[in-house]
């Protein structure tokens, strides 16, 4: 690369000394803060995995019961609707 | 789950496209190059130095995503790299309207790439404007009185071109989509999957209903699920007990002002098209 | 062994592409560019060029496809003309902004409307500020040599290059040119380096994403730095070129400029005509000179000023539309002189539009008019349409 450019690029962290428009920083947004209602898993859970397949963020892991990643869960409520066993209920978030 | 897309993305809550994108990387794995046009899928491609993808990604223009795919696919061929998938993840406007020419050209030339259209039936990223894929009777910001014309059938257009693999899918039946993508990935040529992807803000419904609507569209015959391998059609979700279209429409605010005649035409066209598919189906 | 061949401009660029070992080519046919890409297709078919040819469905897709191929780390080529280039416009910016060293052959053709099949530079002038390097050849040898220089320079600064030849006057005119030996070209042009930004699952990155006001200016600034670097780089690489091939090329080519009363400045094929006119006028005692601007972007201000400053007056011929103001070449030269604080009379002439022959007579008229204007100390704020039919004036 040309010297003048190299110097310039150093000032631009996002370019990382490279020529072009690109990004390599994979970054999460903590979308859990968006949530107005929170899905709560109850004892009806059969660990069938349907909710985990349809969660748009794929944020539900099948452990002893369905385990929801609340750090990212936006609270859309799809899991409640797709659960055949009424094992997930949306509960309004407290203040 | 696959970690090829980061966890927290800024797609709307209940976004059908987000589920679709995650399902795509789950099936195809890390040796995938993904392209997104300016549309909701570009949210995943990110902003500034941030991206949601852990696979190579390129932000295309709206009308030429298939042309970029042509070049990428041809370069892969030149480099003798057969282990890399090239995927376009475009919305309905970027596909059936402005992207049609590039898509048709790329399919005709036979490049190996997978084109996935997430059909949310309007230009949602710019704020719910009518596209060729908007159904009759649907409100959008540019059809304030409801769209008067029927939805464009891009799948039939591409089938007429003799595409080696094509399928419809719905985020409501995600396993069906994944099976189809799994077939598409091994085809040595162009493949196309048209995926109905309900959009809560655009269709005016509660975010929780995305999957329910994705299923109802299929179960009412409005949106039949099928695939065609070298033109041989197979319906992948038989609808024996047809659900009432009214049930599908009343969940969505966009159909608030749909007329009785329009509902009738939706019903008649859906039944007719489904019957046609049954007739064409290969035993 | 180099060999002398009879070759037209389209084939000259095609030979350059073959010698440069382009790997992916995408193009759409348009007059008068078509034979250029036909020739490339032949080379691939005959096995003389190991490349893939994508016969796309539009020029817009042609440039898009080579952008895709360049992102994969392959050396690419496309070509177009006139309205085809206009259709590409959006992707012209994408190619440059992503810093992809694509080479594009241009058979200059007037933009519509009215429709014309023939040359003027309105097509490439409409793209002049999109961040590409633009080279204008005056003959078939230059067309070939500039193609090789385009790959070498473009890949060094990571910018795309347009190699422009006048429609029909160069594309379809056969001249004698030297076809260099492959071994020499390989010495001049190293194997393609994919650079820092590419699509590869082994090193995933997201390319061409949305940017904010926080970074946009800096990216554009870096782009501009790279483009301007060509001014320094061109003479160095031209020196290497001369050592290997024995031919001298420069950012602008001067002919009898030093003590000239009038220097006529041109782009493209009329530059050869201008040199011939100057030669004859000199023989008749008239102190004329000619300057061909070979590299229009970046504009070599210092070189142009250096070669023109000894002249008493300058006549700039724009073979492109000067609608509502000066032609683009004249704007550049006037701006350069003004910035440098040098005050010599510069007149702008528009000629040769839509394929009208920019012949010796026209160039003589330009020179005589300039002498007359200088003698009368007449200022002209707007260009003179020198070859317009008298009955419309």
């Amino acid at each position: 690369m040309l010297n003048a450019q190299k110097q310039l690029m150093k000032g631009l962290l996002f370019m990382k000394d490279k020529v072009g428009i690109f990004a390599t920083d994979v970054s999460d947004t903590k979308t859990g803060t968006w949530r107005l209602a929170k899905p709560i898993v109850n004892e009806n859970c059969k660990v069938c995995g349907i909710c985990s397949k349809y969660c748009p963020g794929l944020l539900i892991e099948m452990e002893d019961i369905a385990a929801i990643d609340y750090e990212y869960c936006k609270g859309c409520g799809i899991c409640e609707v797709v659960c055949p066993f009424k094992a997930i209920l949306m509960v309004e978030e407290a203040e | 789950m696959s970690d090829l897309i980061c966890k927290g993305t800024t797609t709307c809550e209940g976004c059908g496209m987000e589920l679709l994108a995650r399902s795509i990387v789950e099936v195809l794995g890390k040796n995938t190059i993904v392209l997104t046009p300016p549309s909701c899928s570009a949210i995943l491609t990110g902003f500034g130095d941030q991206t949601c993808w852990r696979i190579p990604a390129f932000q295309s223009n709206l009308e030429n995503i298939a042309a970029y795919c042509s070049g990428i696919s041809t370069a892969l061929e030149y480099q003798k790299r057969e282990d890399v998938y090239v995927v376009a993840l475009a919305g309905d406007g970027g596909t059936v309207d402005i992207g049609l020419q590039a898509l048709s050209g790329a399919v005709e030339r036979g490049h190996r790439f997978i084109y996935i259209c997430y059909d949310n039936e309007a230009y949602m990223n710019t704020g719910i404007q009518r596209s060729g894929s908007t159904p009759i009777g649907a409100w959008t910001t540019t059809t304030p009185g409801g769209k008067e014309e029927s939805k464009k059938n891009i799948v039939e257009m591409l089938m007429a071109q003799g595409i080696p693999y094509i399928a419809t899918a719905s985020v409501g039946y995600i396993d069906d989509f994944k099976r189809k993508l799994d077939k598409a990935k091994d085809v040595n040529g162009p493949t196309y999957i048209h995926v109905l992807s309900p959009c809560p803000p655009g269709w005016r419904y509660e975010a929780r209903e995305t999957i329910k609507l994705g299923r109802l569209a299929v179960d009412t015959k409005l949106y039949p699920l099928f695939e065609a391998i070298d033109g041989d059609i197979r319906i992948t979700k038989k609808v024996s007990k047809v659900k009432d279209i009214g049930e599908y429409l009343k969940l969505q605010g966009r159909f608030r002002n749909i007329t009785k005649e329009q509902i009738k035409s939706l019903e008649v066209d859906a039944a007719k098209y489904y019957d046609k598919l049954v007739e064409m189906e290969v035993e | 062994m180099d060999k002398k061949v009879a070759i037209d401009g389209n084939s000259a660029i095609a030979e350059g592409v073959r010698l440069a070992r382009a790997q992916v080519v995408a193009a759409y046919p348009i007059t008068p560019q078509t034979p250029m890409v036909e020739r490339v297709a032949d080379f691939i078919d005959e096995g003389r060029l190991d490349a893939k040819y994508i016969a796309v469905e539009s020029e817009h897709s042609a440039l898009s496809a080579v952008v895709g191929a360049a992102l994969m780390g392959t050396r690419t080529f496309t070509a177009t003309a006139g309205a085809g280039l206009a259709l590409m416009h959006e992707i012209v910016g994408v190619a440059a902004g992503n810093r992809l060293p694509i080479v594009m052959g241009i058979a200059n053709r007037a933009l519509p409307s009215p429709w014309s099949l023939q040359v003027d530079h309105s097509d490439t002038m409409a793209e002049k500020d999109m961040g590409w390097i633009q080279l204008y050849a005056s003959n078939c040898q230059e067309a070939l040599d500039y193609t090789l220089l385009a790959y070498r320079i473009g890949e060094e600064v990571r910018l795309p290059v347009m190699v422009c030849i006048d429609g029909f006057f160069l594309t379809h005119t056969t001249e004698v040119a030297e076809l260099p030996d492959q071994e020499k070209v390989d010495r001049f042009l190293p194997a393609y380096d994919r650079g820092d930004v590419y699509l590869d699952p082994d090193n995933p990155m997201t390319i061409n994403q949305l940017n904010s006001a926080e970074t946009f200016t800096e990216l554009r600034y870096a782009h501009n730095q790279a483009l301007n670097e060509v001014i320094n780089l061109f003479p160095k690489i031209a020196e290497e070129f001369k050592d290997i091939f024995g031919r001298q090329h420069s950012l602008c080519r001067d002919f009898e400029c030093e003590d000239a009363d009038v220097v006529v400045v041109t782009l493209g094929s009329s530059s050869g005509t201008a040199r011939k006119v100057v030669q004859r006028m000199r023989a008749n005692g008239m102190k004329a000179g000619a300057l061909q601007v070979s590299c229009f972007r970046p504009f070599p201000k210092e070189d142009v000023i250096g070669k023109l400053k000894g002249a008493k007056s300058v006549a700039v011929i724009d073979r492109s539309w000067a609608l509502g103001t000066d032609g683009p070449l004249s704007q550049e030269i006037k701006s350069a002189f003004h910035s440098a604080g040098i005050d010599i009379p510069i007149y702008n002439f528009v000629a040769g539009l839509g394929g009208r022959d920019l012949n010796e007579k026209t160039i003589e008229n330009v020179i005589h008019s300039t002498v007359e204007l200088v003698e009368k100390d007449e200022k002209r704020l707007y260009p003179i349409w020198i070859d317009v039919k008298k009955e419309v004036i």
Side-chain angles (χ1 to χ4, degrees), chain B residues 245-264:
Chain B
I245 280 182
E247 196 186 333
Y248 175 70
L249 301 178
K250 74 168 191 282
L251 277 171
Q252 304 171 54
R254 65 172 172 157
F255 288 115
R256 212 171 36 233
N257 295 321
I258 190 168
T259 63
K260 282 201 183 88
E261 294 74 31
Q262 286 171 329
I263 295 174
K264 190 76 203 154

PDB file of all heavy atoms in Angstrom, chain B residues 245-264:
ATOM      1  N   ILE B 245     -59.938 -18.517   4.662  1.00  0.00           N
ATOM      2  CA  ILE B 245     -59.076 -17.367   4.346  1.00  0.00           C
ATOM      3  C   ILE B 245     -59.364 -16.198   5.290  1.00  0.00           C
ATOM      4  O   ILE B 245     -58.468 -15.441   5.672  1.00  0.00           O
ATOM      5  CB  ILE B 245     -59.244 -16.962   2.863  1.00  0.00           C
ATOM      6  CG1 ILE B 245     -58.403 -17.901   1.989  1.00  0.00           C
ATOM      7  CG2 ILE B 245     -58.859 -15.508   2.624  1.00  0.00           C
ATOM      8  CD1 ILE B 245     -58.427 -17.614   0.521  1.00  0.00           C
ATOM      9  N   GLY B 246     -60.599 -16.074   5.683  1.00  0.00           N
ATOM     10  CA  GLY B 246     -61.004 -15.001   6.601  1.00  0.00           C
ATOM     11  C   GLY B 246     -60.181 -15.007   7.879  1.00  0.00           C
ATOM     12  O   GLY B 246     -59.820 -13.953   8.420  1.00  0.00           O
ATOM     13  N   GLU B 247     -59.867 -16.204   8.349  1.00  0.00           N
ATOM     14  CA  GLU B 247     -59.092 -16.336   9.582  1.00  0.00           C
ATOM     15  C   GLU B 247     -57.695 -15.724   9.399  1.00  0.00           C
ATOM     16  O   GLU B 247     -57.160 -15.068  10.289  1.00  0.00           O
ATOM     17  CB  GLU B 247     -58.971 -17.830   9.910  1.00  0.00           C
ATOM     18  CG  GLU B 247     -58.540 -18.125  11.333  1.00  0.00           C
ATOM     19  CD  GLU B 247     -58.304 -19.615  11.561  1.00  0.00           C
ATOM     20  OE1 GLU B 247     -58.923 -20.454  10.855  1.00  0.00           O
ATOM     21  OE2 GLU B 247     -57.468 -19.936  12.414  1.00  0.00           O
ATOM     22  N   TYR B 248     -57.140 -15.970   8.213  1.00  0.00           N
ATOM     23  CA  TYR B 248     -55.813 -15.429   7.877  1.00  0.00           C
ATOM     24  C   TYR B 248     -55.887 -13.908   7.742  1.00  0.00           C
ATOM     25  O   TYR B 248     -55.040 -13.182   8.275  1.00  0.00           O
ATOM     26  CB  TYR B 248     -55.354 -16.060   6.554  1.00  0.00           C
ATOM     27  CG  TYR B 248     -54.055 -15.542   5.982  1.00  0.00           C
ATOM     28  CD1 TYR B 248     -52.836 -15.828   6.587  1.00  0.00           C
ATOM     29  CD2 TYR B 248     -54.042 -14.781   4.802  1.00  0.00           C
ATOM     30  CE1 TYR B 248     -51.645 -15.375   6.039  1.00  0.00           C
ATOM     31  CE2 TYR B 248     -52.861 -14.322   4.248  1.00  0.00           C
ATOM     32  CZ  TYR B 248     -51.658 -14.618   4.880  1.00  0.00           C
ATOM     33  OH  TYR B 248     -50.473 -14.167   4.326  1.00  0.00           O
ATOM     34  N   LEU B 249     -56.913 -13.427   7.071  1.00  0.00           N
ATOM     35  CA  LEU B 249     -57.011 -11.995   6.789  1.00  0.00           C
ATOM     36  C   LEU B 249     -57.294 -11.171   8.046  1.00  0.00           C
ATOM     37  O   LEU B 249     -56.732 -10.091   8.225  1.00  0.00           O
ATOM     38  CB  LEU B 249     -58.097 -11.727   5.741  1.00  0.00           C
ATOM     39  CG  LEU B 249     -57.920 -12.412   4.385  1.00  0.00           C
ATOM     40  CD1 LEU B 249     -59.103 -12.092   3.473  1.00  0.00           C
ATOM     41  CD2 LEU B 249     -56.608 -11.999   3.704  1.00  0.00           C
ATOM     42  N   LYS B 250     -58.145 -11.714   8.914  1.00  0.00           N
ATOM     43  CA  LYS B 250     -58.591 -10.873  10.042  1.00  0.00           C
ATOM     44  C   LYS B 250     -57.497 -10.650  11.096  1.00  0.00           C
ATOM     45  O   LYS B 250     -57.575  -9.709  11.876  1.00  0.00           O
ATOM     46  CB  LYS B 250     -59.861 -11.448  10.682  1.00  0.00           C
ATOM     47  CG  LYS B 250     -59.682 -12.697  11.532  1.00  0.00           C
ATOM     48  CD  LYS B 250     -60.971 -12.970  12.322  1.00  0.00           C
ATOM     49  CE  LYS B 250     -60.769 -14.034  13.381  1.00  0.00           C
ATOM     50  NZ  LYS B 250     -60.742 -15.418  12.896  1.00  0.00           N
ATOM     51  N   LEU B 251     -56.474 -11.489  11.055  1.00  0.00           N
ATOM     52  CA  LEU B 251     -55.345 -11.276  11.973  1.00  0.00           C
ATOM     53  C   LEU B 251     -54.469 -10.094  11.555  1.00  0.00           C
ATOM     54  O   LEU B 251     -53.614  -9.647  12.304  1.00  0.00           O
ATOM     55  CB  LEU B 251     -54.474 -12.537  12.019  1.00  0.00           C
ATOM     56  CG  LEU B 251     -54.894 -13.670  12.956  1.00  0.00           C
ATOM     57  CD1 LEU B 251     -54.036 -14.900  12.706  1.00  0.00           C
ATOM     58  CD2 LEU B 251     -54.787 -13.243  14.412  1.00  0.00           C
ATOM     59  N   GLN B 252     -54.658  -9.633  10.318  1.00  0.00           N
ATOM     60  CA  GLN B 252     -53.752  -8.624   9.766  1.00  0.00           C
ATOM     61  C   GLN B 252     -54.466  -7.308   9.492  1.00  0.00           C
ATOM     62  O   GLN B 252     -55.419  -7.255   8.725  1.00  0.00           O
ATOM     63  CB  GLN B 252     -53.153  -9.119   8.451  1.00  0.00           C
ATOM     64  CG  GLN B 252     -52.443 -10.455   8.551  1.00  0.00           C
ATOM     65  CD  GLN B 252     -52.067 -10.986   7.184  1.00  0.00           C
ATOM     66  OE1 GLN B 252     -51.411 -10.311   6.406  1.00  0.00           O
ATOM     67  NE2 GLN B 252     -52.510 -12.202   6.884  1.00  0.00           N
ATOM     68  N   GLY B 253     -53.932  -6.251  10.088  1.00  0.00           N
ATOM     69  CA  GLY B 253     -54.510  -4.921   9.893  1.00  0.00           C
ATOM     70  C   GLY B 253     -54.474  -4.453   8.451  1.00  0.00           C
ATOM     71  O   GLY B 253     -55.293  -3.647   8.028  1.00  0.00           O
ATOM     72  N   ARG B 254     -53.538  -4.989   7.670  1.00  0.00           N
ATOM     73  CA  ARG B 254     -53.414  -4.503   6.290  1.00  0.00           C
ATOM     74  C   ARG B 254     -54.617  -4.890   5.427  1.00  0.00           C
ATOM     75  O   ARG B 254     -54.829  -4.324   4.356  1.00  0.00           O
ATOM     76  CB  ARG B 254     -52.113  -5.005   5.652  1.00  0.00           C
ATOM     77  CG  ARG B 254     -52.035  -6.496   5.471  1.00  0.00           C
ATOM     78  CD  ARG B 254     -50.801  -6.913   4.656  1.00  0.00           C
ATOM     79  NE  ARG B 254     -50.668  -8.373   4.660  1.00  0.00           N
ATOM     80  CZ  ARG B 254     -50.016  -9.056   3.755  1.00  0.00           C
ATOM     81  NH1 ARG B 254     -49.412  -8.439   2.773  1.00  0.00           N
ATOM     82  NH2 ARG B 254     -49.927 -10.373   3.839  1.00  0.00           N
ATOM     83  N   PHE B 255     -55.367  -5.892   5.874  1.00  0.00           N
ATOM     84  CA  PHE B 255     -56.542  -6.302   5.096  1.00  0.00           C
ATOM     85  C   PHE B 255     -57.840  -5.720   5.658  1.00  0.00           C
ATOM     86  O   PHE B 255     -58.923  -6.189   5.350  1.00  0.00           O
ATOM     87  CB  PHE B 255     -56.633  -7.840   5.053  1.00  0.00           C
ATOM     88  CG  PHE B 255     -55.576  -8.477   4.185  1.00  0.00           C
ATOM     89  CD1 PHE B 255     -54.607  -9.303   4.733  1.00  0.00           C
ATOM     90  CD2 PHE B 255     -55.550  -8.239   2.812  1.00  0.00           C
ATOM     91  CE1 PHE B 255     -53.625  -9.891   3.939  1.00  0.00           C
ATOM     92  CE2 PHE B 255     -54.574  -8.826   2.004  1.00  0.00           C
ATOM     93  CZ  PHE B 255     -53.603  -9.654   2.579  1.00  0.00           C
ATOM     94  N   ARG B 256     -57.690  -4.684   6.503  1.00  0.00           N
ATOM     95  CA  ARG B 256     -58.853  -4.099   7.168  1.00  0.00           C
ATOM     96  C   ARG B 256     -59.949  -3.718   6.186  1.00  0.00           C
ATOM     97  O   ARG B 256     -61.122  -3.903   6.431  1.00  0.00           O
ATOM     98  CB  ARG B 256     -58.385  -2.850   7.939  1.00  0.00           C
ATOM     99  CG  ARG B 256     -59.142  -2.544   9.199  1.00  0.00           C
ATOM    100  CD  ARG B 256     -58.444  -1.438   9.982  1.00  0.00           C
ATOM    101  NE  ARG B 256     -57.835  -0.434   9.110  1.00  0.00           N
ATOM    102  CZ  ARG B 256     -56.572  -0.050   9.178  1.00  0.00           C
ATOM    103  NH1 ARG B 256     -55.775  -0.562  10.087  1.00  0.00           N
ATOM    104  NH2 ARG B 256     -56.093   0.860   8.363  1.00  0.00           N
ATOM    105  N   ASN B 257     -59.541  -3.169   5.048  1.00  0.00           N
ATOM    106  CA  ASN B 257     -60.546  -2.654   4.112  1.00  0.00           C
ATOM    107  C   ASN B 257     -60.702  -3.516   2.867  1.00  0.00           C
ATOM    108  O   ASN B 257     -61.186  -3.057   1.839  1.00  0.00           O
ATOM    109  CB  ASN B 257     -60.181  -1.225   3.704  1.00  0.00           C
ATOM    110  CG  ASN B 257     -60.239  -0.282   4.888  1.00  0.00           C
ATOM    111  OD1 ASN B 257     -61.132  -0.400   5.729  1.00  0.00           O
ATOM    112  ND2 ASN B 257     -59.276   0.617   4.994  1.00  0.00           N
ATOM    113  N   ILE B 258     -60.287  -4.769   2.935  1.00  0.00           N
ATOM    114  CA  ILE B 258     -60.417  -5.631   1.759  1.00  0.00           C
ATOM    115  C   ILE B 258     -61.905  -5.842   1.461  1.00  0.00           C
ATOM    116  O   ILE B 258     -62.728  -5.963   2.383  1.00  0.00           O
ATOM    117  CB  ILE B 258     -59.673  -6.976   1.964  1.00  0.00           C
ATOM    118  CG1 ILE B 258     -59.591  -7.758   0.658  1.00  0.00           C
ATOM    119  CG2 ILE B 258     -60.301  -7.808   3.080  1.00  0.00           C
ATOM    120  CD1 ILE B 258     -58.633  -8.948   0.700  1.00  0.00           C
ATOM    121  N   THR B 259     -62.252  -5.846   0.186  1.00  0.00           N
ATOM    122  CA  THR B 259     -63.670  -5.979  -0.181  1.00  0.00           C
ATOM    123  C   THR B 259     -64.051  -7.455  -0.290  1.00  0.00           C
ATOM    124  O   THR B 259     -63.184  -8.328  -0.421  1.00  0.00           O
ATOM    125  CB  THR B 259     -63.943  -5.323  -1.549  1.00  0.00           C
ATOM    126  OG1 THR B 259     -63.195  -6.030  -2.533  1.00  0.00           O
ATOM    127  CG2 THR B 259     -63.553  -3.849  -1.543  1.00  0.00           C
ATOM    128  N   LYS B 260     -65.347  -7.701  -0.250  1.00  0.00           N
ATOM    129  CA  LYS B 260     -65.845  -9.078  -0.391  1.00  0.00           C
ATOM    130  C   LYS B 260     -65.399  -9.674  -1.720  1.00  0.00           C
ATOM    131  O   LYS B 260     -65.020 -10.838  -1.804  1.00  0.00           O
ATOM    132  CB  LYS B 260     -67.380  -9.080  -0.317  1.00  0.00           C
ATOM    133  CG  LYS B 260     -67.913  -8.963   1.107  1.00  0.00           C
ATOM    134  CD  LYS B 260     -69.349  -9.478   1.160  1.00  0.00           C
ATOM    135  CE  LYS B 260     -69.936  -9.319   2.549  1.00  0.00           C
ATOM    136  NZ  LYS B 260     -70.575  -7.992   2.777  1.00  0.00           N
ATOM    137  N   GLU B 261     -65.441  -8.834  -2.771  1.00  0.00           N
ATOM    138  CA  GLU B 261     -65.054  -9.319  -4.106  1.00  0.00           C
ATOM    139  C   GLU B 261     -63.581  -9.721  -4.115  1.00  0.00           C
ATOM    140  O   GLU B 261     -63.199 -10.707  -4.730  1.00  0.00           O
ATOM    141  CB  GLU B 261     -65.292  -8.239  -5.170  1.00  0.00           C
ATOM    142  CG  GLU B 261     -66.752  -7.877  -5.413  1.00  0.00           C
ATOM    143  CD  GLU B 261     -67.361  -7.046  -4.293  1.00  0.00           C
ATOM    144  OE1 GLU B 261     -66.623  -6.262  -3.642  1.00  0.00           O
ATOM    145  OE2 GLU B 261     -68.571  -7.212  -4.029  1.00  0.00           O
ATOM    146  N   GLN B 262     -62.772  -8.905  -3.421  1.00  0.00           N
ATOM    147  CA  GLN B 262     -61.338  -9.208  -3.395  1.00  0.00           C
ATOM    148  C   GLN B 262     -61.073 -10.508  -2.631  1.00  0.00           C
ATOM    149  O   GLN B 262     -60.229 -11.308  -3.034  1.00  0.00           O
ATOM    150  CB  GLN B 262     -60.557  -8.036  -2.785  1.00  0.00           C
ATOM    151  CG  GLN B 262     -60.447  -6.848  -3.741  1.00  0.00           C
ATOM    152  CD  GLN B 262     -59.865  -5.608  -3.081  1.00  0.00           C
ATOM    153  OE1 GLN B 262     -60.047  -5.392  -1.875  1.00  0.00           O
ATOM    154  NE2 GLN B 262     -59.190  -4.784  -3.858  1.00  0.00           N
ATOM    155  N   ILE B 263     -61.809 -10.702  -1.534  1.00  0.00           N
ATOM    156  CA  ILE B 263     -61.639 -11.951  -0.781  1.00  0.00           C
ATOM    157  C   ILE B 263     -62.034 -13.127  -1.672  1.00  0.00           C
ATOM    158  O   ILE B 263     -61.345 -14.146  -1.736  1.00  0.00           O
ATOM    159  CB  ILE B 263     -62.489 -11.940   0.512  1.00  0.00           C
ATOM    160  CG1 ILE B 263     -61.986 -10.843   1.456  1.00  0.00           C
ATOM    161  CG2 ILE B 263     -62.452 -13.302   1.212  1.00  0.00           C
ATOM    162  CD1 ILE B 263     -62.823 -10.629   2.706  1.00  0.00           C
ATOM    163  N   LYS B 264     -63.121 -12.926  -2.381  1.00  0.00           N
ATOM    164  CA  LYS B 264     -63.600 -13.982  -3.289  1.00  0.00           C
ATOM    165  C   LYS B 264     -62.515 -14.300  -4.317  1.00  0.00           C
ATOM    166  O   LYS B 264     -62.213 -15.465  -4.584  1.00  0.00           O
ATOM    167  CB  LYS B 264     -64.889 -13.500  -3.979  1.00  0.00           C
ATOM    168  CG  LYS B 264     -65.623 -14.562  -4.761  1.00  0.00           C
ATOM    169  CD  LYS B 264     -66.374 -15.508  -3.831  1.00  0.00           C
ATOM    170  CE  LYS B 264     -66.617 -16.841  -4.528  1.00  0.00           C
ATOM    171  NZ  LYS B 264     -66.769 -17.953  -3.588  1.00  0.00           N
TER     172      LYS B 264
END
